[in-house]
Amino acid sequence: DIQMTQFPSTLSASVGDTVTITCRASQSVGYLLAWYQHIPGNAPKLLIYGASILDGGVPSRFSGSGSETDFTLTISGLQPSDSATYYCQHYSSYPETFGPGTKVEI
Amino acid sequence: EVQVVDSGGGLVQPGGSLRLSCTTSGFTFSDYAVTWVRQAPGKGLEWVGFIRDRTYGRTTEFAASVKGRFSISRDDSRGFALMQMNSLTTEDTGVYYCARSRTRPGEKYYFDSWGQGTLVTVSS
């Protein structure tokens, strides 16, 4: 199975800041990497797929990059509504594993 | 508007069974796979399994931890999927989410619309 790691595990920032979350795969997943935002009590929300493609309706302050084993999610101009846990997920093979999550506190 | 609603969770004793439902509306259900993801208390997200759409034969895949105990079926005419969970253990406790799943040729699936989750508690 492909193992996914994320860092940092927790991140504290202020409104307006730019933050970056890193996701690393234990072996190459190409560009088959998605990012999700999860606010407790809510349904998880797809932000990015294909490592860098923004899903419909997702604000442009979210961006993704990377390929193979190293990926980043960047949030520019942090908003209070961005307080959440962010998960990366590869979909290159089964099982499709998630990273452990990065909690963003604002 | 795309809607995904998961339900059917509850309290069940170890060794028992439970059936979760994933009810959808607002899109052509038969064109999409359906994936189940769970979150144990205090833990992250774990892929559980999924059922492909009709184009790919409505076949299923499961995580090793549930293979042989869980099954997924779907009713395309009524827009819902079911996950049957048998021989439940305390390790199966958590919030279960169903998600509409998208793919592109040559790729596996990512999840673009999720339910709010349904809580499964396995305890004596």
Side-chain angles (χ1 to χ4, degrees):
Chain A
D1 298 359
I2 297 175
Q3 307 301 317
M4 307 298 292
T5 56
Q6 284 182 239
F7 49 91
S9 57
T10 305
L11 186 159
S12 294
S14 302
V15 173
D17 284 353
T18 293
V19 299
T20 298
I21 299 168
T22 298
C23 174
R24 185 160 290 160
S26 61
Q27 64 190 74
S28 175
V29 299
Y31 59 90
L32 302 179
L33 191 286
W35 289 95
Y36 301 88
Q37 176 193 63
H38 190 202
I39 298 170
N42 288 10
K45 177 183 178 181
L46 173 67
L47 299 174
I48 287 167
Y49 61 96
S52 62
I53 303 170
L54 219 58
D55 197 36
V58 175
S60 59
R61 63 179 182 274
F62 292 92
S63 63
S65 65
S67 65
E68 307 295 338
T69 59
D70 294 296
F71 302 86
T72 59
L73 172 71
T74 300
I75 312 173
S76 305
L78 213 56
Q79 297 297 306
S81 59
D82 298 333
S83 288
T85 298
Y86 294 84
Y87 294 93
C88 61
Q89 172 237 340
H90 85 84
Y91 53 101
S92 69
S93 62
Y94 301 122
E96 298 179 8
T97 47
F98 291 84
T102 296
K103 186 175 183 180
V104 174
E105 300 171 336
I106 301 172
Chain B
E1 180 193 2
V2 172
Q3 290 201 330
V4 176
V5 178
D6 27 45
S7 61
L11 174 64
V12 61
Q13 292 190 336
S17 298
L18 207 57
R19 188 174 69 179
L20 304 184
S21 299
C22 179
T23 305
T24 72
S25 62
F27 64 98
T28 303
F29 179 74
S30 58
D31 288 344
Y32 291 85
V34 174
T35 299
W36 289 89
V37 174
R38 67 185 179 184
Q39 184 172 34
K43 303 293 186 181
L45 300 174
E46 178 189 11
W47 179 85
V48 174
F50 82 109
I51 186 166
R52 295 178 177 88
D53 58 66
R54 61 182 174 179
T55 301
Y56 297 96
R58 301 185 182 91
T59 51
T60 56
E61 302 283 349
F62 292 96
S65 58
V66 306
K67 198 169 186 177
R69 300 188 297 122
F70 289 15
S71 62
I72 302 173
S73 60
R74 61 188 294 158
D75 185 327
D76 287 348
S77 65
R78 291 197 280 173
F80 70 85
L82 300 173
M83 183 163 72
Q84 179 68 39
M85 305 187 297
N86 299 328
S87 302
L88 287 163
T89 75
T90 56
E91 299 296 307
D92 296 315
T93 293
V95 177
Y96 284 71
Y97 300 93
C98 71
R100 188 180 80 164
S101 307
R102 274 174 23 200
T103 187
R104 299 187 294 183
E107 300 178 358
K108 304 294 189 284
Y109 294 83
Y110 55 94
F111 322 126
D112 69 349
S113 294
W114 297 59
Q116 297 271 34
T118 185
L119 177 62
V120 172
T121 303
V122 184
S123 175
S124 55

